[in-house]
Amino acid sequence: AYSLAIRSTGIAGAIPILGALALGAQRLLPILQQAYSAWTVMQGGQASLEETLKLLDQTLPKYVDQSPIAEIPFQKGINLKNVSFRYEENTPLVLKQGFNMTIPKGSRVGLIGITGSGKSTVLDIIMGLLWPTSGDLEVDGEKITEKNCRAWQCRIAHVPQTIFLADTSILENIAFGIPADKIDHARVHLAAQKAQIAKNIESWKHGYNTTVGERGVKLSGGQRQRIAIARALAL
């Protein structure tokens, strides 16, 4: 504005140019706001994209192409002997040296402790998802190693706190991952009975063909949990 005003035409000649610039800036402002918003979304999603690409680059487990293996015998119990665990070499021990635990077959055991005391770590070790830094996991006195870990995992099921339910029927959610034409209906019904939800399902109009909605929104929290238990028993 100053440079235009000191010209021979003066301030009167600068007003039309300044008005055109102001109008153009006003028109550009919404577009610039959209561009900035898109840029921030791209920056925010970059970390998630990098994590996803790292997951895609991971090699598949060796057992993916292998035929199903026989389950490991389980007649007596589970033993953790002198177990310790740390997530990385220079981090403190989550489970200190000398942790021992025995779970007899048929017993019910609860792990209670403050946050960070290692409850989930113990369960992950028992399921063969983590390997102890030292010590052994034994089933009926047999040490679980990488060679027989899959045989042990075929014996167990895990029901997480947050349940994933697909927007399909109860039948397909219990027999999750099995093609509809290959579902063993008798096995699904038996699993529902053991999970104590069969009477509820059978009282509904469409029975086992009842759709659960996206993430099970048509069911109560307890019903979702029991369907997850039935899934664990059926599979």
Side-chain angles (χ1 to χ4, degrees):
Y2 175 76
S3 62
L4 290 173
I6 61 176
R7 290 184 179 183
S8 58
T9 55
I11 190 67
I15 289 176
I17 299 176
L18 294 175
L21 291 174
L23 180 62
Q26 186 179 13
R27 293 294 182 90
L28 285 172
L29 185 60
I31 298 174
L32 292 174
Q33 288 177 332
Q34 292 178 7
Y36 176 74
S37 177
W39 179 79
T40 56
V41 171
M42 291 173 62
Q43 291 294 314
Q46 185 174 357
S48 298
L49 177 60
E50 290 176 354
E51 292 295 327
T52 303
L53 292 175
K54 289 179 182 178
L55 287 174
L56 292 175
D57 288 338
Q58 290 182 347
T59 57
L60 292 174
K62 296 179 181 179
Y63 57 78
V64 170
D65 297 328
Q66 296 176 358
S67 58
I69 56 179
E71 298 176 350
I72 195 170
F74 181 42
Q75 300 296 329
K76 298 177 181 178
I78 305 168
N79 292 304
L80 292 175
K81 289 188 175 182
N82 297 318
V83 169
S84 67
F85 180 82
R86 57 162 49 99
Y87 283 94
E88 294 182 7
E89 184 176 354
N90 297 323
T91 58
L93 288 169
V94 179
L95 297 176
K96 294 183 179 180
Q97 184 71 37
F99 178 81
N100 295 282
M101 183 178 184
T102 299
I103 305 176
K105 182 180 178 180
S107 62
R108 299 179 182 180
V109 178
L111 300 179
I112 302 172
I114 62 174
T115 301
S117 58
K119 302 183 297 295
S120 299
T121 302
V122 170
L123 291 176
D124 287 342
I125 291 174
I126 291 175
M127 291 188 292
L129 301 177
L130 295 175
W131 295 102
T133 304
S134 64
D136 300 316
L137 166 65
E138 295 182 355
V139 176
D140 286 0
E142 181 179 353
K143 182 179 177 180
I144 301 300
T145 64
E146 292 185 7
K147 293 182 178 180
N148 60 4
C149 182
R150 283 296 298 163
W152 166 236
Q153 290 174 339
C154 290
R155 273 282 189 186
I156 60 178
H158 175 228
V159 181
Q161 291 180 335
T162 303
I163 311 302
F164 173 78
L165 295 177
D167 189 8
T168 56
S169 67
I170 290 177
L171 178 71
E172 292 174 288
N173 272 290
I174 293 177
F176 192 70
I178 299 176
D181 58 342
K182 295 183 179 180
I183 294 177
D184 186 343
H185 291 248
R187 186 167 184 171
V188 170
H189 294 175
L190 180 61
Q193 291 176 0
K194 290 182 178 180
Q196 299 182 12
I197 195 174
K199 291 183 178 179
N200 294 84
I201 297 173
E202 292 164 5
S203 67
W204 297 334
K205 181 179 179 180
H206 299 291
Y208 287 87
N209 292 320
T210 303
T211 56
V212 301
E214 186 176 358
R215 296 187 178 275
V217 294
K218 296 182 180 179
L219 304 175
S220 68
Q223 289 170 340
R224 290 196 293 269
Q225 195 74 25
R226 290 191 181 276
I227 287 177
I229 295 172
R231 177 191 294 173
L233 295 172
L235 300 178

